[in-house]
């Protein structure tokens, strides 16, 4: 099993995980080289370990590689330092602060809406990645990051596109060896580092705004620490959302009946006035961008709903996104290392063991989902048509696109809002179709990216 497991993990980890979960319904043990790996295949155990026993864990092996790029930001830190960072950053991504980012989300989507041309061919993964990078740059850092889309894509490509080698033993040693790929990665990291430090220096010289970067600069004196947080939010905050949106376009194209069901909603809802750009970020005005009323509702200029009121009017859009993240979870695996011996389900997991839960497996487990392989956004709606994340009645921890416990995604509300608004804005006018002849498969690296995603833009008539 060890050799087979190692090979399969390198070549086809999704198949390996599916296989193990089918054979072991609660907990499986795999020895990979010197590693003791436990795969948790039941949501109750995932909840017990990640939430109830969360303090007995630290983050897993994948982060060794990511730390190269992100330093000691929120994603990679541990213990008291992590808790302090979380207290600082979380409020800047929720509630009233989140509401201030809405105009940027809609205005950026509108810019793509105007730029897209009927019949042209695009790389959808790249397009969504640039779009979400622009949103994060403008919303959280008050900066136009369009110019760095290329270096970011190149660094991420080098970092994310590799096989899931980071899960295998020996990666720590491997990272110290200077291979050409390693040298490319370091060059890309240097470029990103320079760009982020320039943004920080500019804002230190001329403090402005109330965005997330303003919060970081006021609270943290050491610019290297600000750099680590900024880099973390920049990268964690755009690639995952881009991956979710990319798969959503793909699934909609493959299921025209679902696309038609979504369009019924979008044809009824008006995302503000389509007027000229007054924001400097090419879209609607702030007021216009946050106005969302049903056609029969009050005049757009009067309403200004917050994020939750706004999302409440788009239950089908949210359901489509939820279902896409079920079938193609951008984060497909969660790893933790035990800090001490941990008792779980009658087993003792020795200190230092690697514990893994896979969203890929949990989201498609027939024990908890009816027709798990089929794309059915309707499952997320209550009988009266409201979106409800627990609508399918699955046990808690059977659906974990954003993780769980103390390390649950800090950008969860931001991501839901952005994903829903971008999809609502663009799908209202566009129904992209895949370029024929492509084989599109999920590639399990740090995120579950598509192998390729060339699409032809089709304007809805
Ligand atoms: C669809 C979009 C997104 C998905 C699927 C996603 C997924 C996740 C997951 C699964 C985790 C937990 C990882 C673990 O426990 O090991 C996480 C953590 C995190 N995410 Fe997200 N994320 C998304 C969007 C965002 C956005 C928009 C931001 C920032 C604006 C963000 C920033 C972070 C950070 C900083 C962490 C670390 C939190 C901590 O450890 O306290 N993410 N994300």
């Amino acid at each position: 099993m060890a050799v087979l497991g190692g090979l399969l993990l390198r070549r086809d980890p999704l198949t390996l995980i599916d296989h193990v979960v089918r054979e072991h319904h609660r907990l499986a043990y795999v020895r990979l080289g010197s590693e003791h790996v436990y795969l948790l295949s039941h949501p109750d155990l995932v909840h017990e370990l990640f939430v109830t026993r969360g303090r007995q864990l630290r983050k897993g092996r994948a982060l060794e590689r990511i730390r190269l790029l992100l330093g000691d930001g929120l994603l990679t830190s541990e213990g008291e330092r992590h808790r302090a960072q979380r207290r600082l950053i979380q409020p800047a991504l929720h509630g009233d602060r989140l509401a201030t980012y809405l105009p940027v989300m809609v205005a950026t989507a509108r810019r793509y809406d105007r730029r897209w041309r009927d019949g042209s061919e695009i790389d959808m993964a790249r397009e969504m990645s640039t779009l979400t990078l622009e949103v994060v740059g403008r919303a959280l850092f008050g900066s136009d990051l369009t110019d760095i889309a290329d270096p970011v894509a190149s660094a991420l490509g080098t970092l994310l596109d590799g096989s899931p080698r980071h899960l295998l033993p020996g990666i720590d040693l491997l990272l110290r060896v200077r291979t050409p790929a390693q040298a490319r990665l370091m060059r890309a990291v240097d470029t990103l580092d320079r760009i982020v430090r320039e943004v920080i220096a500019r804002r230190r010289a001329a403090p402005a705004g109330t965005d997330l970067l303003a919060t970081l600069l006021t609270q943290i004196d050491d610019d290297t620490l600000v750099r680590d947080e900024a880099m973390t939010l920049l990268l964690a905050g755009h690639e995952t959302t881009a991956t979710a949106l990319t798969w959503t376009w793909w699934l909609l194209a493959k299921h025209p009946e679902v696309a038609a069901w979504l369009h019924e909603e979008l044809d009824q809802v008006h995302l503000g006035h389509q007027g000229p750009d007054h924001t400097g970020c090419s879209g609607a005005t702030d007021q216009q961008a946050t106005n969302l009323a049903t056609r029969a509702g009050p005049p757009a200029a009067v309403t200004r709903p917050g994020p939750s009121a706004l999302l409440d009017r788009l239950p089908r859009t949210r359901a489509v996104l939820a279902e896409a993240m079920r079938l193609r979870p951008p984060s497909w695996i969660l790893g933790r290392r035990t800090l001490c011996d941990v008792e779980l389900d009658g087993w003792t997991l020795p200190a230092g063991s690697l514990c893994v839960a896979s969203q890929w497996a949990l989201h498609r487990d027939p024990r908890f989902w009816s027709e798990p392989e089929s794309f059915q956004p309707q499952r997320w709606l209550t009988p009266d048509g409201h979106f409800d994340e627990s609508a399918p009645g699955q046990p808690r921890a059977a659906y974990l696109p954003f993780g769980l416990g103390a390390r649950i995604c800090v950008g969860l509300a931001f991501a839901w809002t952005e994903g829903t608004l971008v999809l609502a804005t663009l799908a209202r006018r566009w129904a992209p179709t895949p370029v024929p002849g492509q084989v599109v498969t999920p590639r399990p690296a740090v995120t579950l990216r598509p192998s390729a995603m060339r699409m032809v833009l089709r304007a809805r008539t």
Side-chain angles (χ1 to χ4, degrees):
M1 184 62 184
V3 176
L4 180 69
L7 280 178
L8 256 181
L9 185 59
R10 198 182 282 268
R11 286 208 199 115
D12 190 357
L14 300 179
T15 304
L16 174 69
I17 284 172
D18 277 342
H19 172 76
V20 174
V21 169
R22 255 198 320 274
E23 297 291 314
H24 305 272
H25 283 178
R26 292 181 68 80
L27 187 60
Y29 168 73
V30 187
R31 181 82 190 260
L32 288 178
S34 57
E35 283 285 12
H36 300 274
V37 183
Y38 293 86
L39 177 64
L40 283 63
S41 48
H42 196 287
D44 291 351
L45 294 189
V46 175
H47 191 272
E48 185 175 340
L49 186 72
F50 281 71
V51 179
T52 315
R53 299 172 188 275
R55 289 204 174 227
Q56 300 174 346
L57 309 170
R58 68 175 174 84
K59 284 241 173 161
R61 168 179 287 289
L63 289 185
E64 306 296 337
R65 189 169 172 84
I66 297 177
R67 190 172 273 123
L68 264 181
L69 188 58
L70 302 185
D72 236 348
L74 184 60
L75 188 72
T76 38
S77 62
E78 298 282 357
E80 189 42 50
R81 178 169 157 70
H82 170 260
R83 284 189 280 280
Q85 286 164 298
R86 186 96 193 188
R87 278 195 297 274
L88 179 66
I89 290 169
Q90 188 157 307
L93 292 167
H94 287 83
D96 292 349
R97 302 280 294 279
L98 176 60
T100 65
Y101 307 138
L102 261 53
V104 171
M105 294 172 181
V106 176
T108 308
R110 286 243 173 89
R111 226 159 61 73
Y112 280 70
D113 177 34
R114 283 200 301 277
R115 210 171 71 187
W116 280 6
R117 293 286 166 259
D118 194 17
S120 61
E121 189 182 314
I122 57 166
D123 174 344
M124 190 53 96
R126 184 68 202 277
E127 193 79 355
M128 290 299 106
S129 192
T130 318
L131 189 159
T132 53
L133 181 65
E134 278 183 50
V135 170
V136 167
R138 287 186 204 281
L140 303 184
F141 301 101
S143 301
D144 178 356
L145 300 181
T146 327
D147 290 348
I148 65 161
D150 282 340
V152 169
S154 144
L156 280 180
T158 317
L159 188 81
L160 303 181
D161 273 354
S163 69
R165 267 180 313 172
H166 51 263
L167 297 173
L168 292 172
I171 186 65
D172 328 55
L173 288 175
L174 204 68
L175 288 174
R176 285 182 218 139
V177 179
R178 203 74 177 164
T179 63
Q182 189 70 8
R184 258 198 321 278
L185 175 63
M186 295 318 294
R187 274 200 303 278
V189 171
D190 286 348
T191 310
L192 282 187
D193 190 63
R194 184 174 42 74
I195 293 164
V196 170
R197 283 181 189 277
E198 275 168 18
V199 171
I200 293 171
R202 253 201 326 271
R203 288 286 295 272
R204 275 258 189 250
T210 55
D211 58 22
L212 185 66
L213 184 56
T215 305
L216 295 176
L217 290 170
T218 327
Q219 302 291 326
I220 307 175
D221 293 332
D222 180 345
D223 276 355
T224 299
L225 295 182
V226 177
R227 174 262 179 221
D228 289 355
E229 299 299 359
M231 192 76 99
T232 298
L233 290 156
L234 198 65
L235 299 186
H238 92 280
E239 187 54 30
T240 37
T241 315
T243 304
L245 284 165
T246 305
W247 283 119
T248 304
W249 288 116
W250 175 259
L251 289 161
L252 283 173
K254 292 284 166 191
H255 298 86
E257 72 296 348
V258 176
W261 177 80
L262 172 66
H263 292 147
E264 271 174 27
E265 170 170 284
L266 299 180
D267 290 343
Q268 293 302 314
V269 182
H270 181 48
L271 273 160
H273 171 67
Q274 304 269 342
D277 176 20
H278 303 292
T279 57
C281 54
S282 311
T285 62
D286 285 10
Q287 179 69 52
Q288 288 159 351
T290 47
N291 286 332
L292 184 144
T294 56
R295 288 249 163 89
V302 180
T303 20
R304 192 178 175 128
S308 64
L310 203 54
L311 300 192
D312 282 349
R313 297 184 195 177
L314 295 164
R316 292 187 182 185
T317 316
R318 293 170 83 186
V320 165
L321 203 59
E323 183 71 346
M325 288 195 287
R326 184 182 70 78
L327 278 175
R328 295 285 181 270
S331 157
W332 60 283
I333 197 164
L334 297 168
R336 294 290 187 274
R337 205 174 276 289
T338 50
L339 286 168
C340 52
D341 289 0
V342 174
E343 299 297 323
L344 188 71
D345 213 29
W347 294 48
T348 302
L349 284 43
S353 304
L354 198 57
C355 304
V356 173
S358 166
Q359 293 103 324
W360 169 260
L362 289 163
H363 290 187
R364 292 158 52 260
D365 189 321
R367 288 175 294 171
F368 313 113
W369 302 92
S370 65
E371 298 185 54
E373 295 296 338
S374 86
F375 183 54
Q376 291 178 10
Q378 293 87 341
R379 71 171 92 228
W380 297 99
L381 298 190
T382 57
D384 57 354
H386 291 104
F387 174 76
D388 178 355
E389 225 184 287
S390 61
Q394 80 281 11
R396 58 186 179 176
Y399 184 66
L400 305 165
F402 296 97
L404 74 170
R407 309 297 301 238
I408 195 169
C409 178
V410 77
L412 179 155
F414 188 100
W416 268 119
T417 309
E418 180 187 7
T420 307
L421 293 183
V422 168
L423 187 61
T425 306
L426 291 174
R428 189 159 174 262
R429 293 225 307 126
W430 299 95
T433 54
V435 169
Q438 276 180 106
V439 181
V440 174
T441 47
R443 288 183 60 183
V446 176
T447 57
L448 195 67
R449 295 177 126 200
S451 51
M453 182 80 72
R454 299 218 58 87
M455 296 191 98
V456 179
L457 296 174
R458 298 277 177 225
R460 286 184 60 220
T461 46

